[in-house]
Amino acid sequence: MTPAELAEVVLAAAHAVFDERGLDRAALPAQTTVERPRNPDHGDYASTLALQLSKKVGVPPRELATALADELAKAPGVKSVEIAGPGFLNVRLDAAAAGQLAKLIVEAGPAYGSSDTLAGQRINLEFVSANPTGPVHIGGVRWAAVGDALSRLLRATGAEVGTEYYFNDAGSQIDRFARSLLAAAQGQPAPEDGYGGAYIAEIAAEVVRRRPDVLDLTPDAAEEVFRTEGVQLMFAEIKSSLRDFGVEFDTYFNEKDLHDQGALDAALARLREQGHVFESEGATWLRTTEFGDDKDRVLRKSNGEWTYFAADCAYYLNKRERGFDRVVIMLGADHHGYIGRMKAMSACFGDDPARNLEILIGQLVNLVRDGAPVRMSKRAGTVVTLEDLVDAIGVDAARYALARYSADSPIDIDVELWTRAKNDNPVYYVQYVAARTAGVARNAAEIGLTRGDAAAFQPELLGHDKENELLKALAEFPAVVATAAELREPHRVARYLEESVAQAYHRFYDNCRIAPQGDEKITDTHRARLWLNDATRVVIANGLRLLGVSAPERM
């Protein structure tokens, strides 16, 4: 029996009690939940339904809890119900009801943990969006890991998700990039406001190889060639690096397209219609202070140039016009000030910022070696890049390490910790369970031990305390996935795999022999435990897949 199934049983008991006592069914919720007690001695699951309903129906909570307990105890699969405190219901399942979950998980396979919690939501999820003026730095890598994991979680809970990379190929930073490439090709030092690093020389050399005549052109014409070719080369490298990291986007959106297609003019016209645009000092402004911004924002300067904020407005409108009802944008800690202006901008379009726009802020990441932060890349020259991180600890460890912590907390990634094959390395600890469950299944097959026909599975044989503990941990997975998606917190999945599933499996493995020893015959208990072993592998594999991490069969 899953927690969701037990919650339905609890609610059915409440319906029966209300009917028996003539209480108003309108007071009953459409659904309820059960939770695991912190102290396992208190039972398998706990319900607070009696406390929630007591005031509504005018019945003392313990009296209502007693009636619910009596009715609930009649339900198949419920071993006992105890009342604690002011009216908590502590429920224990019989072994057969608890053990049935192992078969359910194995038969569900990759689908176990998925739900329709967010069904009907169309979400545009933008993350990374690094400027094409250099390799993806470690801050952007954090969003690559967290954003990709979040997209997987949202899809697993029924949302329709479009992942997006906003490609800044317009503006002053691109001009500086082009001038830096031209200077490198001419053997000159980078401009004072330009970009350095070996990658600039590499890209400049490739542009010259493609266009041998480029240095014979006028300075303006040469700069334009380096701008066009250089951005194309840099972005191709960024996409390749992200692909190697396991991250690909549904849409790569060019800022330049907004300008070329008149999207900024269209956005300005829409904002004028809404009555929030005004002119002052020769410039065109958006009155964002009406919606809580600390100051009004310029859309078009007095010289006729568009501002970056104007492009932000046009891009937001573009996403909404593509049918996304929720726009989620992931930004680094240095963009915290964007929240107020972006929320106000959404309101200026007539949207509800609380429903239509969500901005997530991620904190800094340091790569640490020998106790000291690694400050720069050999190739990029100024920052630690995606390639540096992957070279140091590998893709799986990097993705797991970055997704394991709440995005709003700074983290240090210790190279020594994340590369050693010991249990204090979190990704090794979880992947080892994946490998061990696969190994158990292989070894069982070699001696002729199989799960057998599903109809012959005897869940009541999974009655050991450590079996029950593992079953309860596995039962939590769908709720963990739903909560992680709803709160935009992939780290909940990682911590669950470590602290609930992996720990419970190791205790089960140490206390409950799965395969017979020596001349011992294969029994139905061995088969039942193999079901539980394989169910654990399903949950570990499904959880790691949501984080974009592999579940190895051997280590």
Side-chain angles (χ1 to χ4, degrees), residues 55 61 79 81 118 132 139 144 185 202-203 209 230 355 413 430 520:
K55 285 186 179 180
K79 181 178 180 181
V81 186
L118 301 182
E202 293 170 8
I203 293 174
R209 189 190 69 78
R355 185 175 69 88
I413 297 179
V430 174
E520 186 182 357

Side-chain angles (χ1 to χ4, degrees), residues 345-361:
M345 173 266 289
S346 171
C348 286
F349 276 117
D351 282 350
D352 177 1
R355 185 175 69 88
N356 300 120
L357 178 63
E358 184 176 347
I359 298 177
L360 307 177
I361 299 293

Side-chain angles (χ1 to χ4, degrees), residues 202-239:
E202 293 170 8
I203 293 174
E206 178 60 20
V207 173
V208 172
R209 189 190 69 78
R210 291 184 175 195
R211 289 289 304 271
D213 64 328
V214 65
L215 296 180
D216 298 327
L217 302 175
T218 65
D220 286 348
E223 187 175 314
E224 182 58 34
V225 170
F226 279 104
R227 176 185 290 104
T228 303
E229 296 282 346
V231 165
Q232 184 182 77
L233 287 166
M234 188 72 255
F235 194 54
E237 181 178 319
I238 289 172
K239 289 175 72 173

Side-chain angles (χ1 to χ4, degrees), residues 141-464:
V141 181
R142 183 176 199 174
W143 279 136
V146 174
D148 188 62
L150 181 54
S151 73
R152 295 165 186 247
L153 282 164
L154 293 171
R155 286 170 175 143
T157 47
E160 183 180 342
V161 182
T163 58
E164 195 142 322
Y165 186 118
Y166 186 51
F167 177 27
N168 278 108
D169 55 351
S172 60
Q173 81 278 4
I174 299 298
D175 294 335
R176 295 199 304 273
F177 179 62
R179 290 196 298 271
S180 301
L181 293 175
L182 176 57
Q186 293 172 333
Q188 301 295 323
E192 187 175 339
D193 62 347
Y195 297 92
Y199 77 95
I200 290 291
E202 293 170 8
I203 293 174
E206 178 60 20
V207 173
V208 172
R209 189 190 69 78
R210 291 184 175 195
R211 289 289 304 271
D213 64 328
V214 65
L215 296 180
D216 298 327
L217 302 175
T218 65
D220 286 348
E223 187 175 314
E224 182 58 34
V225 170
F226 279 104
R227 176 185 290 104
T228 303
E229 296 282 346
V231 165
Q232 184 182 77
L233 287 166
M234 188 72 255
F235 194 54
E237 181 178 319
I238 289 172
K239 289 175 72 173
S240 176
S241 297
L242 289 169
R243 190 178 304 113
D244 291 343
F245 196 58
V247 178
E248 292 201 56
F249 292 85
D250 299 319
T251 301
Y252 294 91
F253 194 100
N254 288 9
E255 180 188 353
K256 190 172 182 294
D257 289 345
L258 292 172
H259 293 266
D260 294 345
Q261 296 169 6
L264 281 78
D265 288 300
L268 177 58
R270 176 73 66 86
L271 293 167
R272 281 191 192 280
E273 290 173 5
Q274 296 291 325
H276 304 299
V277 174
F278 67 97
E279 309 293 329
S280 178
E281 300 176 352
T284 302
W285 298 69
L286 185 64
R287 193 173 281 108
T288 53
T289 51
E290 289 186 356
F291 298 100
D293 196 5
D294 59 343
K295 62 181 180 181
D296 294 326
R297 303 290 170 176
V298 177
L299 294 172
R300 182 174 256 164
K301 302 175 186 178
S302 57
N303 63 3
E305 291 181 1
W306 293 103
T307 62
Y308 286 120
F309 183 65
D312 289 337
C313 294
Y315 187 35
Y316 172 80
L317 181 60
N318 176 279
K319 290 177 178 179
R320 294 284 287 119
E321 289 179 336
R322 279 186 272 148
F324 293 106
D325 49 51
R326 192 169 190 86
V327 173
V328 181
I329 307 171
M330 296 179 156
L331 299 172
D334 55 337
H335 288 77
H336 199 279
Y338 276 53
I339 297 177
R341 76 188 69 168
M342 293 292 286
K343 290 283 188 179
M345 173 266 289
S346 171
C348 286
F349 276 117
D351 282 350
D352 177 1
R355 185 175 69 88
N356 300 120
L357 178 63
E358 184 176 347
I359 298 177
L360 307 177
I361 299 293
Q363 295 298 322
L364 300 176
V365 182
N366 289 310
L367 183 63
V368 177
R369 193 190 304 271
D370 299 326
V374 178
R375 294 295 183 189
M376 64 180 63
S377 165
K378 292 179 180 178
R379 182 163 177 264
T382 55
V383 294
V384 177
T385 68
L386 187 160
E387 287 82 1
D388 296 324
L389 180 60
V390 170
D391 287 347
I393 66 174
V395 171
D396 275 351
R399 290 195 58 138
Y400 194 95
L402 291 164
R404 182 178 183 261
Y405 301 92
S406 174
D408 60 8
S409 62
I411 55 174
D412 290 334
I413 297 179
D414 188 324
V415 173
E416 181 183 8
L417 169 66
W418 288 94
T419 53
R420 62 180 173 235
K422 293 186 178 179
N423 284 342
D424 60 347
N425 174 352
V427 71
Y428 176 85
Y429 184 61
V430 174
Q431 287 185 317
Y432 183 71
V433 175
R436 173 172 269 188
T437 54
V440 166
R442 283 194 305 273
N443 294 337
E446 289 176 1
I447 62 171
L449 169 60
T450 65
R451 295 193 304 264
D453 189 273
F457 172 56
Q458 298 182 44
E460 68 275 9
L461 297 177
L462 297 175
H464 192 283

